[in-house]
DNA sequence: CTCTATTTACGACGAGTATCGTAAGAGGAG
DNA sequence: CTCCTCTTACGATACTCGTCGTAAATAGAG
């Protein structure tokens, strides 16, 4: 039987907390990496910060409900809670991952350019 | 001809900047209010902070690309850039607004400090 | 048992920022 | 014109938080 670390239940996930968790660049990068490798430990993640800092960020991501962490001996591999987040906030995580250019290998065609319908066009208006 | 304040162009909107803008509770509340009233000035928004602070937050929201501000005499009514955001990050803003109840109580984050718990598997994920 | 590798808890420090009060522009009313 | 309201720019302050180094806890290997 696999053991997991404590994490918020599905209906306990707060959108404000999730946004706060995803607001940090390092944490957003962790989410991007986990989107690619599916599962990884703190030391395996290639990040420009120390491992203790990575552990701190993964904790925040888990407490916010973004990732879940499994206990495997001394290792703590984490993965994205894709289905949970998609069920709770449909389209949120997917749009964030799709819109992230730096490490995204362009999986599919970018969003079609349907020439905005009613959006403000700053260039066509007087801007102060 | 309407005059608008400077704002980032559609393809200049960065998802990390947007997430950082939406991470603040006061700004998220502003977004919620603008979702209901469609357009409002800083003084008209009912918020527990001073007007100068509201203006500061609206500036951040505009620079991140979340809202656009019109110049109407001395007034500066702002509104959500719904179509732009939907076009750039499909499903992001809508999922956030859908997950945020209009009169939601302040989410006091429960101090779930049970990190090393190695507790039972989360009920949402049945593990072996 | 000892030894080592992995992870996290704990302070501590520094940068970023949310908030405020005040004051200065800007535009409408009289 | 003057007066008033709305908005924002500017410091100043307090506080959150991202980062680090160190140490403790855990589990596997020898």
């Amino acid at each position: 039987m696999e053991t997991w670390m404590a994490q918020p239940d599905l209906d306990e996930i707060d959108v404000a907390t999730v946004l706060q968790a995803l607001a940090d660049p390092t944490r957003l990068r962790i989410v991007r990496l986990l989107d690619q490798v599916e599962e990884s430990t703190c030391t395996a993640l290639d990040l420009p910060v120390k491992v203790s800092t990575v552990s701190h960020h993964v904790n925040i991501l888990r407490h916010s409900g973004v990732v879940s962490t499994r206990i495997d001996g001394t290792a703590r591999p984490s993965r994205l809670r894709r289905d949970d987040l998609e069920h709770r906030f449909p389209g949120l995580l997917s749009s964030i991952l799709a819109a992230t250019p730096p490490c995204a290998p362009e999986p599919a065609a970018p969003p079609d350019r349907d020439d905005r319908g009613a959006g403000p066009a700053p260039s066509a208006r007087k801007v102060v």
Side-chain angles (χ1 to χ4, degrees), chain A:
Chain A
M1 169 178 173
E2 287 180 332
T3 317
W4 299 75
M5 302 191 69
Q7 65 179 18
D9 211 10
L10 180 60
D11 51 352
E12 291 174 355
I13 301 180
D14 177 42
V15 68
T17 309
V18 171
L19 291 175
Q20 260 183 8
L22 298 177
D24 183 75
T26 303
R27 289 196 288 265
L28 186 59
R29 194 164 173 179
I30 293 177
V31 171
R32 278 188 244 143
L33 291 174
L34 289 180
D35 176 53
Q36 298 176 358
V37 302
E38 283 298 328
E39 192 180 63
S40 176
T41 63
C42 290
T43 48
L45 292 172
D46 187 26
L47 291 168
V49 293
K50 298 300 175 187
V51 188
S52 59
T53 304
V54 178
S55 176
H56 168 68
H57 284 310
V58 171
N59 270 329
I60 294 180
L61 287 174
R62 182 178 58 255
H63 285 123
S64 68
V66 178
V67 306
S68 63
T69 304
R70 188 167 56 88
I71 297 182
D72 180 22
T74 61
R76 302 289 190 276
S78 299
R79 64 179 62 184
L80 285 180
R81 295 178 67 177
R82 296 176 186 279
D83 300 332
D84 286 345
L85 288 175
E86 181 64 25
H87 184 270
R88 185 95 175 81
F89 314 116
L92 190 142
L93 182 62
S94 54
S95 62
I96 292 175
L97 291 174
T100 307
C103 292
E106 236 26 68
D112 57 17
R113 305 189 62 260
D114 180 21
D115 215 9
R116 60 190 145 338
S123 56
R125 304 180 182 183
K126 182 178 181 181
V127 176
V128 181

